[in-house]
Each structure stands twice: as C-alpha cells, then as structure tokens.
Amino acid sequence: MTAILDIELVRTFHAVARIGKFSAAAEQLHKSPAAVSVHIQRLEAVAGGRLLNRDNQSVSLPSLGKRLLVSTTELLCTHDRVLAELHGTHLSGRIT
C-alpha cells in the first residue's frame, strides 16, 4: 500500500515547527493540542521516524524533521496557490 501525505498533517507540522510549541500551534490552527499531537503522530508514522523532539518548553527538529520541513515548504505554497486559483481570490463588482 502506498503511503499518502495528508496536506493537513503537513500544515500542522509546519505550524508546530515554525512556532515551536504545540499549544500555540493548536491555537493558531484552531485545533486542540491533542488534535495537533495526533496529526504529528500520524505524520511520523508516514515518515517512518521522529519529526519533532519534544520537551516541556518547546520542540526542536531532528534531521528527519528538518528534511521534511524543507521538502514540503514548496508543496504547501503550491497547494495554497492552486486552491486560490480554483476558488478565485479577486474581488469584483461595484461598491455603492
């Protein structure tokens, strides 16, 4: 069976990696910290290893996490751009 890289899991990973804390990332993503944790666990299962080193204060990225972060940055940008093109982001009409 081929593994599938869920874009929502990748987005959660990027938020945690960028912010450095599960609770703050959860708040930004409008998810519970438990949901963020589950997303990271699922992504780690797909990746086949630890993506984040966790302690009580913050998180850091081991080499696998760093590689995934670099590899998926353009993926997220492309995903968001395609969605914007499909749904249109331009306002039109007249203001009265």
Side-chain angles (χ1 to χ4, degrees), residues 79-93:
H79 176 268
D80 293 346
R81 188 179 67 246
V82 168
L83 280 180
E85 289 172 5
L86 289 173
H87 296 290
T89 57
H90 302 290
L91 297 176
S92 63

Side-chain angles (χ1 to χ4, degrees), residues 34-70:
V36 169
S37 183
V38 168
H39 279 200
I40 297 302
Q41 289 171 0
R42 288 180 183 165
L43 189 58
E44 287 176 335
V46 172
R50 199 86 146 133
L51 297 173
L52 298 167
N53 293 322
R54 304 154 176 91
D55 67 25
N56 289 339
Q57 302 301 318
S58 63
V59 298
S60 61
L61 276 71
S63 60
L64 181 60
K66 289 176 185 175
R67 287 195 327 260
L68 183 67
L69 187 67
V70 169

Side-chain angles (χ1 to χ4, degrees), residues 1-7 9 42-43 46:
M1 180 169 139
T2 303
I4 296 174
L5 191 57
D6 184 329
I7 199 77
L9 303 182
R42 288 180 183 165
L43 189 58
V46 172

Side-chain angles (χ1 to χ4, degrees), residues 3-48:
I4 296 174
L5 191 57
D6 184 329
I7 199 77
E8 192 64 25
L9 303 182
V10 173
R11 192 172 306 283
T12 299
F13 169 71
H14 271 255
V16 174
R18 186 179 63 254
I19 295 169
K21 293 187 176 194
F22 273 68
S23 58
E27 187 174 316
Q28 180 186 344
L29 296 167
H30 306 288
K31 298 185 183 311
S32 69
V36 169
S37 183
V38 168
H39 279 200
I40 297 302
Q41 289 171 0
R42 288 180 183 165
L43 189 58
E44 287 176 335
V46 172

